[in-house]
Amino acid sequence: MAAKPAILTVDDDAPVLRAVERDLRSRYGDEYRVIGAGSGAEALEVARELTRRGDSIALWIVDQRMPTMTGTELLAEALPLQPDAKRVLLTAYADTDVAIRAINEIRLDQYLLKPWDPPEERLYPVVDDLLADWLANFRPPFEGLRLLSGRWAPRGHEIRDFLTRNQVPYAWLDPETDGEGRRLAESLDGPVDPSQPAVLLPDGAILRDPTNRDIADAVGLSTHATLPFYDLLIVGAGPAGLAAAVYGASEGLKTLLVEREAPGGQAGTTSRIENYLGFPSGLSGSDLARRALAQARRLGAEILSSQEVATVRRQDPYRIVVLDDGSEVSCQAVVVATGVSYRQLDVPGATRLAGAGVYYGAATTEAILYRDAEVAVIGAGNSAGQAAVHLSRFARRVHLVIRGDDLHAGMSAYLVDQIAELENVELHRRTEASKLEGDGHLEAATFTTPDGPLELAVSALFIFIGQQPRTGWLEGLVARDERGYVLTGPFVDAEAGWNLDRMPFLLESSLPGLFAAGDVRHDSVKRIASAVGEGAMAVALVHQYLAQL
């Protein structure tokens, strides 16, 4: 539950402070927290802590005559932290001029002469009016995780993408452009570098420039296996991996799913899937991932987040999976479903501006930031087409850049038809990027076209070019083709390292007991539905493999 708004009263005279607290609690204690502080420094620390936690201060009641820091000095310094809080100064008769100046200088709301007895006549009516005014404009603060990061910080983009795809509620505050972000930055100890994100947890704890695993641990995602041994370990939580987890767990196998980024894989970043069986109105990739993840968990699969598999060691009849933190998990069979990643754009400026206007995928995460802006999408596959359609709802103009002559070669017909009907999507055929420019973030992109160079003043570039399998960690462990895809079934022979009397199962790699499913596999179809089918099929083959042990 959200903490009650605070009434903060400050006085260096302890008996007076206790008297004020007593009177305020007797009247307002049910709806407000009454907090007392014996000095200006103590009060400022309390205010900073409340701000860090995302809690609200409704009212200050501060004594003017305090050593070291007067009441007006305290209120002036506290103003940036909680600018909407009402401010009352307790004064002596001789301080009236000071209080009147404070009304003009620090927007003091009221001043009260000591003593305020009886409070029913001299304190409560004033406080009642001020709290009523404050409540009329009060908007309850966001209670969850808050990300403090500059818009163009590459690591900030990575954290936003991680939180969004893992469906962790958060509020993003920019300390450079957002008023609340500036106030939050001022509440922290030490300066805030907008390029070095800080994550503030609901309990007030601060993670400065955290790794994804730091965040996963903090928000309660599981990052460590609970058992030393599993029947089935799945690497990668894309459609194939999630399907394998659902079928493995539902069929009684102790199943562990390890994902280094977020559930859904590339499919999880897709804004709209309209040709997936059983969803006539379509669904987003994140919805599909959320449903599948909930289903796998309900059936008993264990999910590890922000963990990456470093290697697999053969120790017959077991397979030892070594994670990148050095921990090891043993299992009887492994399903590799690590999918593919987009190739990096190899042009001047691309590396320097990655995460600062240049994005690989991530259209669903960043699209809303480019409302009424001009953006570009590079790629001719379904992911690029879905990104262009999604971005068209926000951006003023979307440039879709392809190397070929038309979209039909690699894009589904329904997407081609949708794009053709969008007035703010402009298709550039036989066009390639040649240079990206910008000071701190992308400001312009130059392309080569049949008619010569084309320069576009785009704020963002979303890249969906080529695919490369995430199989570097399998180097020397299993046979792969020249592009790095895992060879399975009929593509595995003695030359590939197979030395058992039986033939490998259809999705089995050259390492017995290690199966591959989905886009990572050689000669796969590269469709979400086929990946799901292969994930289910892999579990059936795992059962056959286990039956022979």
Side-chain angles (χ1 to χ4, degrees):
M1 294 180 61
K4 292 186 290 187
I7 296 176
L8 193 53
T9 180
V10 189
D11 200 308
D12 65 308
D13 188 328
V16 174
L17 179 62
R18 286 195 297 269
V20 178
E21 289 183 86
R22 179 199 64 221
D23 289 344
L24 291 172
R25 284 198 180 98
S26 68
R27 176 85 164 195
Y28 308 104
D30 291 340
E31 298 177 359
Y32 296 87
R33 285 181 294 166
V34 177
I35 302 173
S39 68
E42 181 185 347
L44 282 174
E45 185 53 42
V46 170
R48 292 190 182 100
E49 180 62 23
L50 291 173
T51 304
R52 283 194 291 268
R53 291 176 180 270
D55 296 339
S56 299
I57 299 175
L59 175 67
W60 289 87
I61 298 181
V62 179
D63 183 45
Q64 167 61 15
R65 294 192 175 189
M66 294 189 295
T68 308
M69 182 183 292
T70 66
T72 51
E73 290 170 341
L74 165 60
L75 291 173
E77 196 163 337
L79 183 62
L81 295 173
Q82 300 261 351
D84 296 326
K86 297 299 181 180
R87 291 168 289 280
V88 174
L89 201 62
L90 293 178
T91 67
Y93 182 79
D95 297 325
T96 303
D97 290 343
V98 173
I100 292 173
R101 286 200 303 272
I103 292 173
N104 297 321
E105 295 173 1
I106 61 170
R107 306 202 308 269
L108 185 71
D109 294 288
Q110 187 59 274
Y111 65 92
L112 297 175
L113 296 177
K114 292 182 178 181
W116 59 88
D117 291 328
E120 290 79 9
E121 296 180 11
R122 302 184 63 183
L123 177 64
Y124 297 155
V126 171
V127 173
D128 285 347
D129 287 345
L130 291 175
L131 290 179
D133 288 346
W134 182 82
L135 277 174
N137 298 301
F138 174 60
R139 298 294 179 269
F142 180 75
E143 298 176 33
L145 179 149
R146 289 166 295 162
L147 169 63
L148 193 61
S149 170
R151 175 175 178 176
W152 304 113
R155 180 57 189 149
H157 156 68
E158 293 171 0
I159 293 176
R160 294 198 303 274
D161 193 49
F162 173 79
L163 293 171
T164 300
R165 294 180 60 198
N166 279 280
Q167 299 177 19
V168 177
Y170 72 98
W172 169 40
L173 306 170
D174 189 334
E176 295 180 299
T177 61
D178 180 74
E180 187 178 349
R182 282 192 291 268
R183 291 193 293 274
L184 187 58
E186 289 173 359
S187 75
L188 304 183
D189 296 326
V192 173
D193 182 350
S195 67
Q196 301 293 320
V199 172
L200 289 89
L201 306 178
D203 63 359
I206 305 169
L207 305 177
R208 291 185 181 270
D209 199 18
T211 65
N212 287 354
R213 190 172 302 161
D214 292 335
I215 299 172
D217 285 331
V219 300
L221 298 177
S222 178
T223 59
H224 301 283
T226 59
L227 301 174
F229 177 82
Y230 295 84
D231 299 314
L232 173 62
L233 190 146
I234 303 159
V235 188
L242 288 168
V246 167
Y247 280 90
S250 68
E251 294 175 14
L253 298 177
K254 290 181 181 177
T255 303
L256 178 68
L257 175 60
V258 181
E259 169 56 44
R260 72 171 193 166
E261 292 179 355
Q266 278 193 3
T269 67
T270 301
S271 57
R272 202 74 186 161
I273 306 167
E274 298 195 37
N275 58 355
Y276 190 70
L277 184 67
F279 292 88
S281 299
L283 79 167
S284 68
S286 62
D287 280 344
L288 179 63
R290 175 181 55 80
R291 292 166 184 258
L293 191 66
Q295 190 175 18
R297 283 190 170 126
R298 182 179 65 82
L299 292 168
E302 184 180 336
I303 316 295
L304 286 195
S305 301
S306 302
Q307 278 282 15
E308 191 166 5
V309 174
T311 188
V312 177
R313 189 170 69 249
R314 181 173 181 172
Q315 191 172 307
D316 288 333
Y318 309 116
R319 301 292 174 260
I320 311 300
V321 175
V322 182
L323 303 178
D324 64 351
D325 64 359
S327 60
E328 296 184 354
V329 181
S330 62
C331 60
Q332 291 186 310
V334 177
V335 172
V336 175
T338 47
V340 295
S341 59
Y342 296 114
R343 286 200 174 89
Q344 304 292 297
L345 189 65
D346 187 18
V347 302
T351 300
R352 178 175 59 85
L353 296 172
V358 176
Y359 308 106
Y360 294 89
T364 54
T365 305
E366 301 293 327
I368 197 170
L369 298 179
Y370 293 96
R371 189 180 298 277
D372 299 325
E374 196 159 338
V375 303
V377 176
I378 300 180
N382 277 359
S383 295
Q386 288 158 346
V389 171
H390 183 63
L391 287 162
S392 71
R393 301 169 188 163
F394 303 93
R396 181 179 71 255
R397 177 159 294 277
V398 179
H399 299 273
L400 180 56
V401 177
I402 65 173
R403 292 197 304 175
D405 291 321
D406 62 49
L407 293 172
H408 288 88
M411 193 178 294
S412 296
Y414 80 89
L415 271 174
V416 177
D417 293 342
Q418 283 185 18
I419 290 170
E421 294 176 359
L422 294 171
E423 295 182 356
N424 64 335
V425 176
E426 182 177 350
L427 179 62
H428 300 268
R429 300 176 175 85
R430 290 181 289 165
T431 300
E432 296 185 55
S434 58
K435 183 173 63 173
L436 307 181
E437 298 175 279
D439 183 12
H441 60 88
L442 180 67
E443 297 174 296
T446 303
F447 300 87
T448 57
T449 75
D451 300 322
L454 170 67
E455 184 171 327
L456 298 175
V458 292
S459 303
L461 185 63
F462 297 88
I463 301 166
F464 302 84
I465 56 172
Q467 294 178 329
Q468 50 190 15
R470 292 176 169 173
T471 58
W473 61 281
L474 290 171
E475 178 72 38
L477 294 173
V478 301
R480 300 178 296 162
D481 66 16
E482 67 280 358
R483 298 175 62 193
Y485 292 93
V486 178
L487 298 175
T488 58
F491 299 101
V492 175
D493 52 24
E495 186 176 343
W498 187 262
N499 56 8
L500 298 185
D501 292 338
R502 66 172 176 85
M503 296 296 290
F505 296 117
L506 185 61
L507 301 182
E508 193 171 18
S509 71
S510 60
L511 175 60
L514 189 147
F515 299 80
D519 291 359
V520 74
R521 189 179 65 83
H522 171 77
D523 205 34
S524 64
V525 179
K526 307 293 189 296
R527 285 291 186 268
I528 294 175
S530 62
V532 169
E534 288 190 13
M537 187 193 308
V539 173
L541 298 175
V542 165
H543 279 293
Q544 294 183 39
Y545 169 76
L546 295 178
Q548 295 190 2
L549 291 180

